[in-house]
C-alpha cells in the first residue's frame, strides 16, 4: 500500500510517499525559515502564500522521487489539525482536490500524533510506550498503546518547549529559530547551570515554560542587561552572558523534561519504551537526558533521525498508512480542526 502524506500546518511545505512494504520512498520539503527570519517568528499570511506557491511542485517531486504516479497511490493523507488555519487549508484543499479527481481515499492526520508516531518510522518501538513530543507549537507526553490509540497524559499549560527556546533566543538576540543556537552556545559552556533558574516543585506530568521565560527576563533585568521600560536587551553585553543564559536555560529545560518523563514512567507501569519526537528532539543534550531517564528504568529509548523530528511529510504519510490499513478514511467534507 502506498500513501501520499501532505504537511502544511506551519512553515514547512512537505510531502512524502510511504509504502507499507518498503518504508519511506520519498520525503520532500521546502522550509520557509528564511522568509520568516526577518520577523523573528512565523508570519501566518506569508506562510500560506508560500504554501500555495510551492505545494504542486513539492507533491510532484515526492511522487517522482518515489518513482510513483498519482494513480499508483492508495490514499492521500493530510494534516488537518492543529496548526495555522490559513496554512492547513492550503494542504487540505489540495489533498481533497487530489482525492476527488483521482477517486482515492482521503485520510485526516493530527499533526501532533504524526510527530508522536515518527520514532516508529525506522525503529521497532514496542507498545505500550510513552513519547515526549516537543516542538514549536506543542509539548505533550503521550501514552501509545498502538499506532492508533494515543492518549495525552501530560501537556504544556502555556508555551510549548520550542516556543520557549525561540522566545529566549529572541530576547537575547540570537535569531530565529532559537533551538539550535541555544544548543550550540550551551555546548560551548559544557552545559553548566550558571544562573539556576527556578524549577516548578509540583509533582505533575504537565509543563509550564512561560514562567521560565519570565525568570530569564527578570534575571537579565537584575544583571542590568535588559531595560524593562524600553524592552531592549543591551546587546553590548559580552557574549559570555548570552552563553551563560543559553546554557542555564537548556539545563533547566533538561531538568524539567527528565522530571516529567521519570514520573510518567513510574506512574504508567506498563510502559515498555520511551521516545522523544518533534523539532526540540533535534537537541542531543535533551535526548541524552531523556535516554538516561529511560535507562535508569531499564527501558529502551528511541528518537527519530533529525529530518523526521522537525516537520516533515514522511510522518504524515506513515501515520496515514496506519489508518489506511484499518480502513479509517475521511469524508471529502473534511474541515481543518
Ligand atoms: O516540529 P517543528 O519543526 O515545528 C513545529 O511543529 O513547531 O519544531 C520547530 C521547533 C522550533 O521552536 C525550534 O526552535 C525547535 O523546534 N528546535 C530546537 C532545536 N532544533 C529545533 N529546540 C531545541 N534544540 C534544538 N536543537
Ligand atoms: Zn510539528
Amino acid at each position: 500500500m502506498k500513501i501520499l502524506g501532505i504537511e502544511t500546518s506551519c512553515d514547512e511545505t512537505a510531502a512524502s510517499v510511504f509504502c507499507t512494504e518498503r518504508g519511506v520512498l520519498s520525503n520532500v520539503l521546502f522550509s520557509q525559515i528564511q522568509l520568516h527570519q526577518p520577523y523573528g517568528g512565523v508570519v501566518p499570511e506569508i506562510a500560506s502564500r508560500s504554501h500555495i506557491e510551492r505545494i504542486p511542485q513539492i507533491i510532484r517531486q515526492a511522487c517522482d522521487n518515489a518513482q510513483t504516479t498519482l494513480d499508483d497511490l492508495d490514499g492521500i493523507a493530510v494534516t488537518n489539525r492543529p496548526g495555522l488555519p490559513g496554512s492547513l487549508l492550503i494542504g487540505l484543499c489540495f489533498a481533497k482536490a487530489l482525492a476527488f479527481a483521482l477517486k482515492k481515499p482521503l485520510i485526516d492526520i493530527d499533526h501532533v500524533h504524526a510527530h508522536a508516531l515518527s520514532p516508529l518510522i525506522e525503529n521497532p518501538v514496542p507498545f505500550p510506550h510513552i513519547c515526549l513530543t516537543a516542538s514549536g507549537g506543542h509539548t505533550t507526553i503521550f501514552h501509545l498503546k498502538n499506532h492508533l490509540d494515543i492518549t495525552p497524559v501530560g501537556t504544556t499549560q502555556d508555551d510549548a518547549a520550542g516556543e520557549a527556546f525561540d522566545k529566549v533566543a529572541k530576547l537575547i538576540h540570537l535569531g530565529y529559530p532559537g533551538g539550535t543556537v541555544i544548543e550550540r552556545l550551551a555546548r560551548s559552556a559544557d552545559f553548566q547551570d550558571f544562573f539556576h533558574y527556578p524549577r516548578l516543585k509540583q509533582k505533575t506530568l504537565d509543563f509550564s515554560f512561560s514562567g521560565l521565560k519570565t525568570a530569564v527576563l527578570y534575571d537579565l533585568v537584575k544583571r542590568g542587561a535588559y531595560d524593562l521600560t524600553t524592552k531592549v536587551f543591551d546587546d553590548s553585553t559580552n557574549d559570555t552572558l548570552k552563553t551563560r543564559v543559553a546554557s542555564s536555560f537548556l539545563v533547566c529545560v533538561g531538568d524539567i523534561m527528565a522530571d516529567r518523563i521519570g514520573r510518567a514512567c513510574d506512574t504508567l507501569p506498563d510502559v515498555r519504551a520511551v521516545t522523544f519526537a518533534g523539532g526540540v528532539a533535534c537537541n542531543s543534550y535533551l535526548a541524552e537526558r531523556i535516554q538516561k531517564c529511560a535507562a535508569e528504568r531499564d527501558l529502551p529509548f528511541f528518537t527519530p533521525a533529525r529530518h523526521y523530528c522537525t516537520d516533515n511529510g514522511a510522518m504524515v504519510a506513515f501515520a496515514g498508512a496506519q489508518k489506511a490499513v484499518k480502513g479509517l478514511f475521511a469524508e471529502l467534507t473534511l474541515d481543518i480542526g
Side-chain angles (χ1 to χ4, degrees):
M1 194 180 247
K2 280 187 202 164
I3 303 295
L4 172 69
I6 301 175
E7 160 61 42
T8 64
S9 67
C10 189
D11 59 345
E12 263 96 22
T13 316
S16 159
V17 177
F18 180 83
C19 169
T20 46
E21 288 78 37
R22 291 188 290 142
V24 177
L25 301 184
S26 65
N27 190 30
V28 184
L29 175 141
F30 172 74
S31 167
Q32 302 176 358
I33 281 185
Q34 287 191 342
L35 300 178
H36 301 291
Q37 236 152 15
Y39 307 95
V42 177
V43 182
E45 176 81 12
I46 294 178
S48 21
R49 282 172 188 267
S50 174
H51 284 308
I52 208 158
E53 274 171 25
R54 299 282 174 165
I55 197 167
Q57 173 59 22
I58 293 288
I59 290 176
R60 196 172 302 128
Q61 195 70 50
C63 290
D64 287 353
N65 291 4
Q67 296 183 325
T68 302
T69 63
L70 289 171
D71 280 328
D72 282 342
L73 296 170
D74 298 291
I76 317 281
V78 62
T79 301
N80 76 320
R81 64 191 183 280
L84 299 171
S87 290
L88 286 168
L89 278 169
I90 308 295
L92 179 60
C93 289
F94 210 95
K96 283 197 206 184
L98 277 180
F100 178 73
L102 299 164
K103 298 188 174 56
K104 307 281 181 188
L106 180 70
I107 307 154
D108 60 306
I109 298 297
D110 179 309
H111 178 84
V112 195
H113 287 185
H115 272 301
L117 290 171
S118 64
L120 287 137
I121 298 176
E122 293 182 314
N123 302 292
V125 188
F127 290 105
H129 63 256
I130 53 167
C131 176
L132 172 59
T133 306
S135 72
H138 27 80
T139 302
T140 305
I141 301 176
F142 287 107
H143 183 233
L144 291 93
K145 285 196 185 136
N146 56 53
H147 291 94
L148 299 172
D149 188 338
I150 305 173
T151 312
V153 291
T155 192
T156 181
Q157 301 298 311
D158 38 58
D159 291 353
E163 193 179 353
F165 273 92
D166 296 339
K167 285 181 175 171
V168 168
K170 194 172 179 178
L171 190 67
I172 57 173
H173 298 179
L174 294 181
Y176 171 84
T180 34
V181 196
I182 289 185
E183 182 179 8
R184 185 164 42 75
L185 290 181
R187 187 175 301 282
S188 74
D190 282 334
F191 306 109
Q192 286 183 67
D193 186 5
F194 298 95
F195 299 149
H196 308 290
Y197 299 129
R199 276 77 167 150
L200 206 65
K201 298 269 183 314
Q202 284 161 358
K203 293 187 178 2
T204 173
L205 293 183
D206 288 331
F207 299 87
S208 167
F209 290 108
S210 149
L212 173 57
K213 179 204 67 194
T214 311
V216 173
L217 174 76
Y218 281 100
D219 188 70
L220 287 171
V221 173
K222 197 182 77 190
R223 290 172 201 282
Y226 190 89
D227 187 330
L228 265 185
T229 29
T230 56
K231 293 196 167 57
V232 174
F233 173 68
D234 180 3
D235 222 351
S236 66
T237 51
N238 56 41
D239 284 347
T240 312
L241 178 66
K242 291 187 184 187
T243 304
R244 290 183 171 194
V245 171
S247 192
S248 308
F249 170 77
L250 179 55
V251 174
C252 187
V253 174
D255 284 353
I256 295 168
M257 288 184 170
D259 175 80
R260 303 304 187 273
I261 290 297
R263 199 179 307 281
C265 291
D266 297 341
T267 46
L268 300 160
D270 62 348
V271 166
R272 295 180 59 208
V274 175
T275 67
F276 185 26
V280 180
C282 289
N283 192 301
S284 39
Y285 170 81
L286 294 176
E288 276 169 32
R289 294 287 309 265
I290 295 166
Q291 175 160 36
K292 192 159 166 275
C293 265
E296 283 164 3
R297 291 161 179 85
D298 285 331
L299 295 172
F301 170 80
F302 302 90
T303 190
R306 290 176 80 90
H307 52 275
Y308 296 145
C309 284
T310 46
D311 286 352
N312 64 88
M315 67 181 192
V316 178
F318 178 77
Q322 310 312 316
K323 287 184 106 171
V325 291
K326 299 278 183 203
L328 297 171
F329 301 121
E331 299 293 330
L332 280 179
T333 50
L334 180 68
D335 201 350
I336 57 168

